[in-house]
Amino acid sequence: MIEVLFFARLRETLDLARLVLDLPEPTTVGALKAQLAARGAHWQTQFAGRQVLAAVNQEMADDATPIRPGDEVAFFPPATGG
Amino acid sequence: MTDDVRILTTALDPAALTAELVEDRAHSQGALVTFVGMVRDLSDNPVSAMQLEHYPGMTEKSLAAIIGRARARWPLGRVLIVHRVGMLHPGEPIVFVGVTGSHRREAFAACEFLMDYLKTEAPFWKKEITPEGERWVEAKQSDGEAAQRWRAAQQQQQ
């Protein structure tokens, strides 16, 4: 199992803050993004069309970053704080 | 040499935070530089409120990492970063960065460095509430370039 979190524009558009997924075997951020994009039209626009950043266990990640059972994965737009 | 990162859901008081740094600093620290960012209300872009969201846990970690990078570049005394989340209104302080150092030069530089990296790396997101509706603020290219400038400066030194 992995926990997937969504923030800001993604959370609002997907109407979802948290998702728990079965993880039969280790994957990567890029593969998980492709899997999520296939869930429907909103998912497609968020994960295939616009810039989405990812973190694994609260560290910035890229498409090649591995994901293992128990990991916390998060997707969000570029930061706009300060 | 203590670092302090605070996420506030209630009003941020820059005067009280500044006073805290003045009181707490070691007496060898001759400089204190603070930056306060406030919610703007521009006439061509009227904003009635700003909603600030963050990623609890990662926010604190990323700010601690940014402070660590500043400490690796300059000898600093105290570093304090305070950021608001939740609903804010124009004129309200949104972020406070305070740095003490032996001399002004490192304190000025570190304060600017911390803000530049905070803007691009700390997981905060702003949504503007306007009379016409709500909209997520888009990241600015100039903010990414400001952080990039420090990396370029370091490579030149090496």
Side-chain angles (χ1 to χ4, degrees):
Chain A
M1 305 264 266
I2 55 167
E3 190 178 11
V4 187
L5 307 175
F6 306 99
F7 290 95
R9 189 191 68 231
L10 274 82
R11 178 182 49 73
E12 271 192 359
T13 310
L14 305 173
D15 195 21
L16 190 67
R18 180 176 176 270
L19 184 65
V20 175
L21 291 178
D22 275 327
L23 189 73
E25 54 195 59
T27 183
T28 62
V29 168
L32 178 61
K33 275 160 77 172
Q35 187 189 327
L36 291 174
R39 285 173 79 103
H42 281 320
W43 296 81
Q44 178 71 28
T45 57
Q46 293 303 314
F47 283 93
R50 309 186 68 155
Q51 195 189 357
V52 172
L53 303 180
V56 175
N57 298 327
Q58 303 185 355
E59 303 274 355
M60 288 308 294
D62 57 31
D63 282 356
T65 305
I67 298 173
R68 299 183 181 86
D71 282 349
E72 176 181 302
V73 183
F75 293 104
F76 41 79
T80 55
Chain B
M1 297 250 278
T2 45
D3 290 333
D4 216 334
V5 169
R6 299 176 205 167
I7 308 301
L8 294 185
T9 54
T10 54
L12 186 162
D13 182 349
L17 296 169
T18 305
E20 195 182 315
L21 289 174
V22 170
E23 294 285 314
D24 283 4
R25 80 191 196 290
H27 285 170
S28 58
Q29 305 292 311
L32 162 61
V33 171
T34 63
F35 172 82
V36 180
M38 283 157 289
V39 179
R40 289 192 297 172
D41 187 10
L42 304 173
S43 54
D44 59 338
N45 181 20
V47 171
S48 36
M50 189 84 92
Q51 178 77 41
L52 250 293
E53 177 175 335
H54 77 127
Y55 181 175
M58 183 172 173
T59 307
E60 292 82 352
K61 271 194 195 174
S62 72
L63 291 174
I66 293 167
I67 294 174
R69 298 213 305 267
R71 287 199 178 283
R73 293 175 79 120
W74 299 282
L76 304 173
R78 277 207 55 178
V79 177
L80 173 59
I81 298 181
V82 185
H83 205 295
R84 271 296 311 272
V85 293
M87 194 66 86
L88 285 99
H89 295 92
E92 277 192 87
I94 187 167
V95 61
F96 174 97
V97 175
V99 180
T100 72
S102 302
H103 302 288
R104 70 183 183 284
R105 203 164 301 280
E106 58 258 31
F108 271 125
C111 189
E112 190 177 16
F113 174 98
L114 291 166
M115 266 313 296
D116 285 347
Y117 276 99
L118 180 153
K119 292 213 73 124
T120 53
E121 294 192 4
F124 292 100
W125 302 278
K126 285 192 191 106
K127 186 164 72 173
E128 292 174 343
I129 319 291
T130 75
E132 288 82 45
E134 302 179 354
R135 56 172 180 247
W136 288 99
V137 174
E138 295 291 331
K140 285 199 212 90
Q141 199 186 344
S142 58
D143 287 334
E145 287 162 1
Q148 190 58 45
R149 195 165 53 90
W150 293 103
R151 286 184 204 104
Q154 185 153 47
Q155 278 160 9
Q156 261 176 11
Q157 281 171 8
Q158 283 166 357

